[in-house]
Amino acid sequence: SAVISQKPSRDICQRGTSLTIQCQVDSQVTMMFWYRQQPGQSLTLIATANQGSEATYESGFVIDKFPISRPNLTFSTLTVSNMSPEDSSIYLCSVEDGDRPVEQYFGPGTRLTVT
Amino acid sequence: AQSVTQLDSQVPVFEEAPVELRCNYSSSVSVYLFWYVQYPNQGLQLLLKYLSGSTLVKGINGFEAEFNKSQTSFHLRKPSVHIRDTAEYFCAVRENNNAGNMLTFGGGTRLMVKP
């Protein structure tokens, strides 16, 4: 399975600022996904990012708030813009396994606290 | 649209006892089913999956799950749990069609293994 790393692992940010989260994969993958896990909650898909095209956002998430870049087949970034305490969550990226495309593998997550 | 229900938010159990974590899903098409585990302060790890074929699937760490199409269930079981199994467990479903790659997660079940 793919090995996925995220930076930063955690951060504490002030209201109104923005944070960019990086996701790096050790192999080339077509599809990358960004999820949010609010405290004590399950995972919710924010968007799907394919290399060379605009990210596809799920209902309730918009590009202005969560801009995503996907410059190549091993890297993606998610920015959380104009943060408020409600954005305090764990943000996880995941990828589909190239050999077993039905399966998704997850990074360790970025724990964000907004004060 | 698919949905997943994990009937128990918390399951306390003594070490070496058997455990079953329940998962029911709803979908208008056939599905792929997954169980993920999240240890404290970590990302998600794939435990096992059902794609097709035998309805009893075995995963890592001694876990297994059985797909029951008539009851739309995919319960996770382990005959004898260890303290290290204490974690959050998520059931997830993905529709078996070409409409997309979206994973829908249940609310999670916190397994608490007591000595």
Side-chain angles (χ1 to χ4, degrees):
Chain A
S1 62
V3 177
I4 306 165
S5 59
Q6 287 185 233
K7 289 182 181 179
S9 58
R10 59 179 62 227
D11 206 342
I12 301 173
C13 301
Q14 291 192 344
R15 180 195 302 260
T17 62
S18 298
L19 176 72
T20 296
I21 302 168
Q22 299 178 7
C23 178
Q24 180 76 52
V25 190
D26 69 341
S27 58
Q28 294 185 340
V29 294
T30 302
M31 305 197 71
M32 297 180 77
F33 308 86
W34 287 98
Y35 288 83
R36 181 176 72 182
Q37 185 179 20
Q38 294 178 299
Q41 303 294 316
S42 186
L43 281 79
T44 303
L45 180 65
I46 298 172
T48 302
N50 290 340
Q51 192 266 339
S53 63
E54 294 287 329
T56 302
Y57 289 82
E58 297 301 312
S59 176
F61 298 97
V62 295
I63 188 172
D64 290 346
K65 176 66 174 177
F66 297 102
I68 288 171
S69 79
R70 182 78 202 274
N72 56 51
L73 292 174
T74 63
F75 187 78
S76 177
T77 66
L78 169 76
T79 299
V80 186
S81 304
N82 188 25
M83 288 184 285
S84 66
E86 293 71 35
D87 294 319
S88 297
S89 296
I90 300 173
Y91 292 86
L92 300 107
C93 82
S94 77
V95 304
E96 283 197 331
D97 188 300
D99 296 326
R100 295 179 291 272
V102 174
E103 299 178 19
Q104 285 188 23
Y105 294 92
F106 286 80
T110 295
R111 185 179 296 271
L112 171 62
T113 303
V114 183
T115 61
Chain B
Q2 67 241 33
S3 65
V4 181
T5 302
Q6 292 182 240
L7 296 162
D8 306 296
S9 60
Q10 295 187 60
V11 173
V13 64
F14 286 105
E15 193 173 19
E16 297 184 3
V19 70
E20 178 180 83
L21 307 183
R22 297 180 293 170
C23 172
N24 286 89
Y25 70 92
S26 173
S27 176
S28 57
V29 301
S30 62
V31 295
Y32 302 122
L33 294 155
F34 307 85
W35 275 99
Y36 287 86
V37 59
Q38 185 176 35
Y39 298 104
N41 299 312
Q42 295 187 29
L44 273 70
Q45 181 180 5
L46 181 63
L47 263 183
L48 50 77
K49 59 187 180 290
Y50 171 78
L51 304 182
S52 65
S54 173
T55 57
L56 181 65
V57 293
K58 294 186 183 298
I60 61 173
N61 302 340
F63 284 93
E64 64 180 32
E66 185 157 19
F67 169 54
N68 188 318
K69 187 175 181 179
S70 63
Q71 298 187 3
T72 60
S73 68
F74 190 56
H75 301 333
L76 181 70
R77 302 186 184 99
K78 185 169 183 178
S80 176
V81 295
H82 301 282
I83 294 289
R84 63 177 176 266
D85 294 323
T86 294
E88 190 86 19
Y89 291 79
F90 293 97
C91 181
V93 64
R94 172 178 161 171
E95 292 187 334
N96 181 7
N97 56 29
N98 293 321
N101 311 82
M102 182 176 174
L103 270 179
T104 299
F105 285 85
T109 297
R110 184 172 298 275
L111 176 63
M112 300 174 293
V113 182
K114 300 178 287 186

